[in-house]
């Protein structure tokens, strides 16, 4: 079965450092992969989309890599700030339901001053 | 991007009653909307695809007679949880989008508690 795995342990880092989150998937050949941010009690908010033919994508302090051989995506937040504290979700297209998404459980990031 | 509004944001209901959750696409005509459910510390799980003017498509394991979906217009889809039980307590979220290779826009979610 298709699986999306994210580190379930919370990631605690100091302000100003780079946070790196991992998303591994199995039994998928996704055409693209997305990252979302979710705050407690809120719906996810889109951050970045990377296509299978792209190795890296950047947006301001965010960077995503996509290795289809390793079946892995890395999500980086540079110069992290306390406001970056949230849960970050990796999402892949649902192969059975149009353009719906399958999500990982997310990784909780806590940035301390 | 699209603005998606869900109502209510929180609801508490008694076991055995029904609850209706509304999902409105305020600035985007959505022929398709998706309904997800999220239990604590778990991932969002797709429940069903809501299609404007036609029947919804449900994921395996989701009871279509329990979770009634109506998508009567391009801006409104409703999810009715019928005969709710405590195990239906969860966070329900809807989303819209323009298709593959594009971002999804989510509502703020509805926290349902069945007592």
């Amino acid at each position: 079965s298709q699986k999306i795995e994210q580190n379930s342990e919370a990631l605690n880092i100091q302000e100003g450092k780079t946070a790196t989150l991992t998303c591994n998937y199995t039994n998928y050949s996704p055409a693209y992969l997305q990252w979302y941010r979710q705050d407690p009690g809120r719906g996810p908010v889109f951050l970045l989309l990377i296509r299978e033919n792209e190795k890296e994508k950047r947006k301001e302090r965010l960077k995503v890599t996509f290795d289809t051989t390793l079946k892995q995506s890395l999500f980086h937040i540079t110069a992290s700030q306390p406001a970056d504290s949230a849960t970050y979700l990796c999402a892949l297209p649902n192969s059975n339901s149009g353009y719906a998404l399958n999500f990982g459980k997310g990784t909780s990031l806590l940035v301390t001053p | 991007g699209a603005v998606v509004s869900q109502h209510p944001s929180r609801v508490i209901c008694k076991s055995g009653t029904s609850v209706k959750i509304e999902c409105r696409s305020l600035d985007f005509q959505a022929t398709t909307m998706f309904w997800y459910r999220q239990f604590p510390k778990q991932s969002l799980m797709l429940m069903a695809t809501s299609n404007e003017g036609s029947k919804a498509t449900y994921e395996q394991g989701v009871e279509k007679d329990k979770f009634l979906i109506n998508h009567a217009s391009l801006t409104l889809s409703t999810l009715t949880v019928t005969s709710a039980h405590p195990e239906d307590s969860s966070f329900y979220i809807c989303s819209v989008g323009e298709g593959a290779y594009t971002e999804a826009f989510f509502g703020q979610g509805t926290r349902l508690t069945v007592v």
Side-chain angles (χ1 to χ4, degrees):
Chain A
S1 61
Q2 296 177 331
K3 290 185 179 179
I4 303 171
E5 296 181 348
Q6 296 185 252
N7 193 336
S8 59
E9 293 184 10
L11 179 62
N12 294 341
I13 64 168
Q14 196 173 16
E15 182 176 10
K17 302 292 185 183
T18 296
T20 298
L21 286 67
T22 304
C23 174
N24 294 297
Y25 57 91
T26 55
N27 297 322
Y28 266 110
S29 294
Y32 56 92
L33 180 148
Q34 301 186 28
W35 283 89
Y36 288 80
R37 168 182 174 144
Q38 186 177 25
D39 290 284
R42 310 289 294 176
V45 175
F46 172 79
L47 295 174
L48 281 168
L49 180 153
I50 186 165
R51 298 179 177 228
E52 61 179 339
N53 62 346
E54 298 176 314
K55 295 293 185 185
E56 182 180 295
K57 202 82 170 280
R58 292 175 184 260
K59 179 182 176 183
E60 298 174 350
R61 295 184 296 111
L62 308 181
K63 185 179 83 171
V64 171
T65 63
F66 194 11
D67 190 325
T68 56
T69 300
L70 290 179
K71 294 187 179 296
Q72 180 181 81
S73 174
L74 298 179
F75 176 78
H76 307 271
I77 304 176
T78 59
S80 59
Q81 304 167 359
D84 295 327
S85 299
T87 296
Y88 291 86
L89 309 176
C90 173
L92 295 175
N94 183 308
S95 54
N96 298 321
S97 302
Y99 52 93
L101 296 170
N102 288 343
F103 286 87
K105 289 185 180 180
T107 298
S108 176
L109 172 66
L110 178 63
V111 181
T112 54
Chain B
V3 178
V4 182
S5 177
Q6 261 182 262
H7 179 79
S9 57
R10 290 177 178 270
V11 59
I12 300 174
C13 71
K14 291 185 177 181
S15 186
T17 61
S18 296
V19 173
K20 179 185 285 189
I21 302 170
E22 291 186 349
C23 177
R24 293 183 182 274
S25 177
L26 300 183
D27 57 354
F28 176 77
Q29 293 192 322
T31 55
T32 300
M33 292 185 179
F34 300 105
W35 285 96
Y36 296 83
R37 179 169 56 181
Q38 185 178 35
F39 292 105
K41 304 294 185 183
Q42 299 298 310
S43 60
L44 277 80
M45 295 295 294
L46 179 68
M47 296 178 66
T49 301
S50 173
N51 303 300
E52 188 266 337
S54 64
K55 291 183 179 181
T57 305
Y58 291 82
E59 295 300 295
Q60 190 173 11
V62 178
E63 301 174 56
K64 60 180 174 64
D65 295 329
K66 181 172 182 61
F67 298 98
L68 302 180
I69 291 174
N70 185 286
H71 193 154
S73 76
L74 290 173
T75 59
L76 174 63
S77 174
T78 60
L79 169 67
T80 301
V81 183
T82 63
S83 187
H85 291 284
E87 56 265 32
D88 299 323
S89 298
S90 188
F91 192 53
Y92 292 86
I93 313 173
C94 66
S95 80
V96 303
E98 296 182 359
Y101 297 92
T102 64
E103 63 184 283
F105 300 95
F106 289 84
Q108 66 268 48
T110 297
R111 173 72 61 192
L112 170 64
T113 303
V114 184
V115 298

